[in-house]
Amino acid sequence: SGPARLEIRSSGSAEDFGAQADADMRLMEIAFGDVFSKAGGVPMSLKSTVAHSKGVLTIKSLDLGLHNLLINATGSVDMGAKSPAADVKIAAKPFALEGWEKLVPMLTQYGLQGEVGVITAEISGPLDNAALKARVSSPGIAFVLPAGEGADNTAGQQKGQLRGATIEASGNVRAGDVSGSGTLNVESGSFADIALKQASADFRYAKGLLEVPRFSAGVFN
């Protein structure tokens, strides 16, 4: 609900054209159940420049801004193939975690602080069976794990910190389902007043299940 500004400029023919779009949704309120909630006044914008020729849609630039996050995408999508094939690269500049609990309410209980570093991602191949790659880094994140529930769980909130963390993952999306695997590496950190160093883990994700077949960390020297 609320106002938004949208401007589209195009030239050429239906088969061969160029287009620019610019949308400003700062004043708009956007909600998706209890998953996402953007109040009026929170920055949100979309700018794009694309071209279409001989069945290929070229994304010269696509910039999405939300709060303090800026995402840029470039690449192409071959619309003439039997299944449209993509070759798209996505990058996000570093941003602070403060304030995101207002946009994603479920984050409130984790008390996130710190900064997410550079995020890069790639989508390639036919869109009905596309390959995915992603890398996320963080110089430092502080968090809180909520107290456990149930009579057998007496643990209260546990505070933690991660420094020099990176996640690298690859996988694919097929028929709307995402699956893949990756690694997590952390230079140092702490959890429940226990110092950690050189922590790492392998993980797999498929059919809504996250598996961690290996985890290691240096503790107590």
Side-chain angles (χ1 to χ4, degrees):
S1 63
R5 181 183 62 80
L6 173 64
E7 181 179 355
I8 299 176
R9 299 176 297 278
S10 64
S11 61
S13 65
E15 292 76 25
D16 192 345
F17 66 86
Q20 293 178 310
D22 185 354
D24 185 350
M25 295 163 279
R26 174 186 292 269
L27 299 179
M28 180 177 282
E29 297 179 10
I30 302 175
F32 183 74
D34 57 359
V35 177
F36 179 83
S37 177
K38 187 192 87 69
V42 175
M44 184 174 184
S45 62
L46 176 66
K47 296 182 179 181
S48 67
T49 301
V50 301
H52 180 274
S53 180
K54 298 180 180 179
V56 177
L57 179 67
T58 301
I59 305 170
K60 296 181 178 180
S61 67
L62 192 156
D63 299 318
L64 172 65
L66 175 60
H67 183 37
N68 60 354
L69 172 64
L70 178 61
I71 298 174
N72 172 262
T74 58
S76 62
V77 180
D78 186 353
M79 308 296 290
K82 183 177 180 180
S83 175
D87 182 10
V88 178
K89 292 179 172 58
I90 302 168
K93 294 182 178 181
F95 63 97
L97 290 168
E98 283 78 5
W100 277 92
E101 71 280 357
K102 296 180 181 178
L103 290 148
V104 185
M106 68 170 291
L107 296 179
T108 302
Q109 59 184 328
Y110 298 107
L112 293 176
Q113 294 181 330
E115 181 181 280
V116 174
V118 174
I119 300 174
T120 58
E122 296 181 18
I123 304 172
S124 59
L127 294 180
D128 59 357
N129 188 20
L132 308 175
K133 288 184 179 180
R135 186 180 191 276
V136 183
S137 65
S138 172
I141 292 178
F143 60 90
V144 175
L145 287 186
E149 298 180 358
D152 296 333
N153 195 331
T154 58
Q157 288 185 340
Q158 302 289 343
K159 294 183 179 181
Q161 288 186 339
L162 301 178
R163 292 179 288 275
T166 60
I167 297 176
E168 296 190 31
S170 61
N172 74 316
V173 54
R174 181 181 300 172
D177 291 330
V178 178
S179 61
S181 60
T183 58
L184 165 68
N185 289 288
V186 179
E187 293 179 1
S188 62
S190 63
F191 180 70
D193 297 325
I194 298 174
L196 307 173
K197 63 179 180 179
Q198 298 301 320
S200 66
D202 297 331
F203 60 87
R204 296 191 295 260
Y205 177 82
K207 297 181 179 179
L209 179 65
L210 179 66
E211 295 181 281
V212 183
R214 183 195 66 83
F215 174 79
S216 64
V219 295
F220 307 121
N221 296 314

